[in-house]
Amino acid sequence: MTIQAAAPVDPQDHALVRDWFRQLSDHVQAVDFAAARHLFADDFIAFGTYSNFVPGRENAEANQWRKVWPTIDGFTWRLDDVQALVSPDRLFAVGMAVWDSTGYLPDGKPFDRKGRATCSFAREKVGEPWIATHTHMSLFRGTPDVSHGNKPSRS
């Protein structure tokens, strides 16, 4: 077998990876933590620009999501550019995407808050939605690491 990073990906698998990113952006924009939980395994592992390993969905929600989502606006993934790598059995995948959003300086002035993510996914059966088992999200260099917006959460 010849290993290829860019091996062909079934269009349905790629569409479902893109759909995972789209759903997450919808929940981030709505600041709806409860609605986003189904996208992540209970025991997933996260890390980001300034975080060591963050084990578990509850921990990530408390220590990452709730500190960022209410402080930003316009969080969207560049869905046309989402990349996917899928295992031969089609039960494991890696998705890579770039996001755009607006952050706020302490004086309320907006700034471009862009970044990228690599996420691993698993599922029990081909055709089912992907569930994140790991996320690594990081800001582009030079982007302020804290946003000071303040909007209410839905959940």
Side-chain angles (χ1 to χ4, degrees):
M1 175 166 110
T2 301
I3 302 297
Q4 294 180 314
V9 173
D10 183 280
Q12 180 189 31
D13 296 339
H14 194 220
L16 288 170
V17 168
R18 257 193 316 275
D19 191 56
W20 184 93
F21 284 107
R22 182 199 53 76
Q23 287 184 62
L24 180 58
S25 68
D26 291 347
H27 299 312
V28 172
Q29 289 177 32
V31 194
D32 195 345
F33 306 105
R37 291 177 191 143
H38 78 280
L39 296 172
F40 300 87
D42 290 341
D43 62 347
F44 97 107
I45 301 169
F47 62 85
T49 306
Y50 299 98
S51 301
N52 290 329
F53 293 108
V54 180
R57 185 179 62 209
E58 287 182 25
N59 193 9
E61 180 179 329
N63 294 297
Q64 287 186 325
W65 306 353
R66 290 187 179 271
K67 292 181 179 182
V68 175
W69 298 8
T71 73
I72 62 174
D73 284 316
F75 183 89
T76 55
W77 298 98
R78 298 179 190 175
L79 295 175
D80 291 341
D81 297 332
V82 167
Q83 299 290 307
L85 306 172
V86 179
S87 66
D89 66 4
R90 299 175 61 200
L91 299 179
F92 180 82
V94 174
M96 295 154 280
V98 171
W99 79 75
D100 297 292
S101 64
T102 300
Y104 298 93
L105 298 171
D107 65 2
K109 184 176 179 180
F111 65 87
D112 286 336
R113 186 182 173 281
K114 300 174 190 280
R116 66 222 175 243
T118 302
C119 304
S120 66
F121 304 104
R123 60 186 177 185
E124 292 183 359
K125 295 180 185 171
V126 172
E128 289 182 350
W130 295 107
I131 304 299
T133 56
H134 165 70
T135 61
H136 176 196
M137 299 191 186
S138 58
L139 297 166
F140 287 152
R141 288 181 191 253
T143 302
D145 59 331
V146 175
S147 177
H148 297 273
N150 185 18
K151 59 186 180 186
S153 65
R154 215 179 256 186
S155 61

